Each structure stands twice: as C-alpha cells, then as structure tokens.
Amino acid sequence: MDLILNYSFLRRGIKVKRFIGMAKDKVLPYGYQDIDQDDIDIVSDALTGEFLTTGPLVENFETALKNLTDAKYAVTCSSGTAALHLACMALGIKRGDWVIVPSITFLATANAVRYCQADVLFCDVDPNTGLITPETLRNAIQDARKRGLKIKAVIVVHLTGRHVDLKEIKEITQVNKLELIADSCHAIGGAYDNMPIGKSYYEQINTFSFHPVKAFTTGEGGAITTNNEKLASAIRQMRSHNMIKDGSNENKWQYVMNDIGYNYRLSDIQCALGISQLKKLKGFKQKRSRLVKFYNSKLKKFFPKITTPDRYGPTIFESVNWHLYSILIDFKALKISRGKFMENLRQKKINTQVHYIPVHTQPYYTKLYGSLNMPGSMEYFERTLSLPLFTKMHKDDIEIVVKALEELL
Ligand SMILES: *Cc1c(COP(=O)(O)O)cnc(C)c1O
C-alpha cells in the first residue's frame, strides 16, 4: 500500500476525489480502475480535437477491438447494457419470444430481453462455478418445449471471466435452431479454445462493458463484436436512432428512419480512454493472474471452509482474464451469516461483494414469472463471495485479506 489518496479541487470548484492508489487507511474495494498519466494525456488531447463524439477515435477504438478479438466487426456503444439491447434487437428478438438467460448474472443480461418486450426463461447454473452448462441448458429447453414456449435465443455469461462450454452449447443451440449471444462483459482479454474471447466463432454476437470495475474502462461504455456484416451494420444504425442517410451529393441533408433507434453512441473522448486502456490489457491480465494465483495458494489451507476458484477449473488457467475473485464459503457450516461475515471484513477495511443475487428472485421477475426452482443458482449464491481484485493491488493487500479471513474462520 504505497500510494496516496488525496482530495483536490478542480479550478472551477468541483470536488473530485482523486484516487491514485491505496492509502493505508483506505478500504480495499472489490474492484477498481487503473488510470495512469498517459490515459489522462490522451483524453486531454481528445478534448482539443475537432470531434468530441463520433469522430476518428471511435473507428480507431473499434479497429483495436477487432484486432484484440479477431472478429470481423466491432461496434462500440454507450454501455454493456446497450450492447445487450442492440444484440437482442439485431437478432429480431421481440414480443412472444423467449430468451434463455442464466439466473446468476448481472440484471442487465435479463433486462435487455425485456427491453425488446420478449420474455426471459431463467436457466439454472452449476452450483460450483455459477456457469450455465450444457446440462442446465438442455433442461431449460426441455422445460420450455413442455410448456409450448417459443424460444428464440440463448445468452450465456462467462461469469468472473471463467468460460462457459461454448462448443457444446453451440451444438445445442444449432440443433434447436436458437440464436446464441455471449455476454462477455467479464471475459475480455481471455481466450477460449485457443481463440480470443469475442471472436464470435461459436456465438453470433459478443457483448462487452467498459465500466470502471471491468478489465479496462472508458468510464461508461460497451461494444459488440460479430462476424456477421448484416448484424454489425444493423447495430451500427440502431446505435444512432436507426437513421439512414442518403449519401448522394444532392441529398446529403436527408435521412430516413424505418424502425425505432436509440442514442447509444460512445463519444470520441471515451474512445480515447479506451484506446489507451486497451494497450495495457495484456499487462492488466498478467497482473490479475498473478494476484489470483497468490490468493489460491494462500487460501488453499482453508479448504473445505473456503473453496478457491481453481478447484473447478478451467484446465487452462492462463486462458482466463479473471474479472472477479469469487470464492465459495460454507457459511452454514461456519454458523455465521454472510452479511455478518462481510461486515466483519469491512471493519477490517476490506470490501467484498456478492456476484450475483439470482435475477429470477428479483421482485420484478417474480411478479412476471412467479417463484422459480433454481437449486444450482441458490447453492452458488448462498456461498459466493468476491474478494478484492484489481490491478493496483499488491501482494501485501492479499496478505491482509488472508489474515482477516483467518481471524474470522
Ligand atoms: C457489467 C455487466 C453488464 C452491464 O454493463 P454496463 O456497461 O454496466 O451497462 C452486463 N452483463 C454483465 C455480465 C456485466 O458484468
């Protein structure tokens, strides 16, 4: 913990909390951005450019994302949520359709389906990884067929950065004629089957988020990648009001809108930050990997009270860009509530988080679909806890977390 925290005032009197790193008396967050002077410089440059939005930096950032993912098309947008909404719209998801979504994910994965007036068919997950599996997916499809529901698509989530079995899931979706979206918001920078996450080899569309807790940031921001030109150009159009411009000289001022569109654009200022951050992704991934390995080695001795993520794969550890360090704790056996456990850690200046509250238990969804039986999701949810993991963290910080856990156990 060698860096400082100070408060400064911008010239116009706006109070900014300037976070350079961890101060000794600062609470360790569960996730945090990594912004350096070169990020600040490139954003400053962008502010003096001709375009503040939809200028050359958008294209530049999209090219960088294509290079990273090896997908043919990358389209940026204003958030990971917007990316999911655009992906669902591009695949023609609409009222009357059902879309399979894992119950353990962020709200946005399911909500994007509802934005299209379609219905969410929650799918159970593996109790140890929180991932949708070929088996839980088959069960969900069978259940839907029995109920006569028209399933249109599946959205899978690479929870914590660990990958779902895309290959087998693709086979299932193909047999059942379903579209496949990968919500890869946790997984950018990783690789699956020796291909970069986002390549869209098995899945039609990938979605990404550049929120500050994710692998790299643009403040708010998101993107989709795909190899399908039609999907990419539909998304590009919907991102900006679904406005089509007539390119010919005489009619340059004209535009038409055949269907509803949105303002889901990402600005040049944000893309400047994205370009700079993306250059550091490889280093960020290595740093996270080192921290995760250190955690794993330090926490091994607490098994079975604590289960570290390496116990359940993946087989190729290096292929994952770990977004979260989520361990499983048997709170029931320890006879302590998770809330109390987290509060005790917070008193030791360690913030933890739960990823996630099963989405099917949210009141909005129980009102729509009643209370569902998702034993795998509940078992995962009841045991999961995300410990601090961010690139500005040091091994000393992990020692502090481990010591705090030891005291609590
Ligand atoms: C962060 C996240 C989103 C939403 O991204 P935003 O950029 O915050 O809108 C969607 N799905 C998952 C799995 C996420 O982690």
Side-chain angles (χ1 to χ4, degrees):
M1 295 205 203
D2 53 357
L3 296 158
I4 45 153
L5 176 81
N6 62 55
Y7 294 85
S8 72
F9 290 85
L10 281 184
R11 265 175 232 105
R12 294 186 197 284
I14 306 160
K15 196 173 181 182
V16 196
K17 198 165 138 189
R18 189 161 283 174
F19 187 98
I20 312 275
M22 298 307 306
K24 285 235 161 17
D25 59 347
K26 181 79 171 80
V27 175
L28 276 174
Y30 85 83
Y32 206 83
Q33 67 266 26
D34 191 332
I35 301 288
D36 283 330
Q37 190 59 45
D38 48 336
D39 297 311
I40 296 166
D41 292 344
I42 186 173
V43 173
S44 298
D45 280 354
L47 283 167
T48 59
E50 189 184 352
F51 300 95
L52 294 185
T53 194
T54 323
L57 298 180
V58 175
E59 215 179 304
N60 199 312
F61 183 39
E62 288 176 350
T63 302
L65 286 168
K66 275 194 299 190
N67 292 340
L68 171 77
T69 59
D70 209 15
K72 275 199 188 137
Y73 306 96
V75 185
T76 55
C77 57
S78 52
S79 69
T81 307
L84 283 160
H85 185 195
L86 290 165
C88 288
M89 281 192 294
L91 291 173
I93 291 165
K94 58 183 188 307
R95 190 188 295 277
D97 293 333
W98 287 76
V99 177
I100 295 178
V101 172
S103 161
I104 299 288
T105 183
F106 183 56
L107 301 168
T109 320
N111 291 353
V113 174
R114 295 295 297 149
Y115 297 163
C116 300
Q117 277 88 47
D119 277 293
V120 180
L121 187 77
F122 287 106
C123 180
D124 208 3
V125 299
D126 180 282
N128 295 320
T129 62
L131 295 179
I132 198 168
T133 66
E135 192 192 346
T136 63
L137 178 59
R138 276 194 205 98
N139 289 343
I141 293 172
Q142 237 170 34
D143 175 50
R145 298 269 186 254
K146 255 189 245 155
R147 292 164 61 196
L149 307 178
K150 185 179 152 237
I151 328 168
K152 170 88 178 173
V154 177
I155 309 180
V156 295
V157 178
H158 299 301
L159 193 74
T160 73
R162 190 193 257 135
H163 314 131
V164 304
D165 185 348
L166 279 173
K167 207 170 180 172
E168 203 174 330
I169 284 171
K170 172 68 188 179
E171 282 169 21
I172 299 170
T173 56
Q174 207 156 20
V175 169
N176 290 280
K177 298 194 171 57
L178 306 175
E179 316 278 2
L180 181 57
I181 300 172
D183 178 348
S184 299
C185 288
H186 289 190
I188 197 161
Y192 172 82
D193 202 11
N194 290 318
M195 290 179 280
I197 285 290
K199 185 172 164 72
S200 310
Y201 180 77
Y202 296 109
E203 63 283 21
Q204 269 123 313
I205 307 182
N206 275 271
T207 62
F208 298 104
S209 164
F210 311 125
H211 180 279
V213 298
K214 305 291 160 79
F216 70 89
T217 190
T218 61
E220 296 277 4
I224 66 96
T225 57
T226 183
N227 293 315
N228 183 316
E229 189 185 355
K230 274 195 185 137
L231 291 176
S233 71
I235 286 172
R236 203 174 285 284
Q237 211 167 281
M238 287 187 291
R239 164 182 80 173
S240 195
H241 310 284
N242 231 331
M243 200 158 63
I244 309 165
K245 286 184 179 158
D246 182 335
S248 68
N249 271 341
E250 196 183 340
N251 296 319
K252 262 208 158 75
W253 56 278
Q254 283 191 5
Y255 49 86
V256 288
M257 188 192 90
N258 296 315
D259 285 297
I260 195 72
Y262 296 81
N263 178 354
Y264 277 167
R265 295 184 304 259
L266 193 63
S267 70
D268 257 39
I269 307 167
Q270 290 166 303
C271 288
L273 183 54
I275 291 161
S276 170
Q277 286 265 296
L278 185 47
K279 285 190 184 135
K280 302 181 222 178
L281 181 62
K282 220 173 178 173
F284 288 167
K285 176 174 183 265
Q286 282 166 358
K287 185 93 200 276
R288 298 179 94 90
S289 174
R290 275 201 297 275
L291 293 168
V292 165
K293 278 182 185 160
F294 193 62
Y295 260 132
N296 287 342
S297 70
K298 289 277 164 186
L299 294 177
K300 225 169 208 99
K301 62 180 175 198
F302 299 122
F303 183 79
K305 286 179 182 162
I306 288 180
T307 306
T308 51
D310 54 329
R311 194 162 282 272
Y312 296 108
T315 40
I316 312 168
F317 188 87
E318 304 301 336
S319 66
V320 175
N321 184 15
W322 293 95
H323 163 54
L324 295 170
Y325 189 74
S326 304
I327 55 171
L328 299 173
I329 303 186
D330 195 346
F331 294 104
K332 266 189 205 142
L334 293 175
K335 295 192 171 62
I336 182 168
S337 79
R338 178 169 49 198
K340 200 155 200 172
F341 197 88
M342 291 170 77
E343 180 52 27
N344 281 336
L345 285 173
R346 218 189 55 76
Q347 276 168 11
K348 295 173 193 286
K349 304 199 184 304
I350 298 160
N351 261 350
T352 54
Q353 188 52 275
V354 176
H355 298 94
Y356 291 97
I357 299 171
V359 186
H360 75 274
T361 67
Q362 293 295 347
Y364 171 80
Y365 284 108
T366 57
K367 268 182 262 168
L368 280 174
Y369 308 124
S371 67
L372 304 172
N373 183 28
M374 301 267 147
S377 299
M378 296 316 284
E379 197 183 330
Y380 183 80
F381 165 62
E382 276 157 19
R383 296 182 298 155
T384 188
L385 192 69
S386 301
L387 303 180
L389 179 68
F390 53 97
T391 49
K392 289 214 169 181
M393 206 176 166
H394 298 283
K395 284 187 171 176
D396 315 0
D397 298 321
I398 291 185
E399 303 269 17
I400 289 167
V401 176
V402 172
K403 190 164 161 277
L405 287 171
E406 187 150 27
E407 282 164 16
L408 278 176
L409 295 169

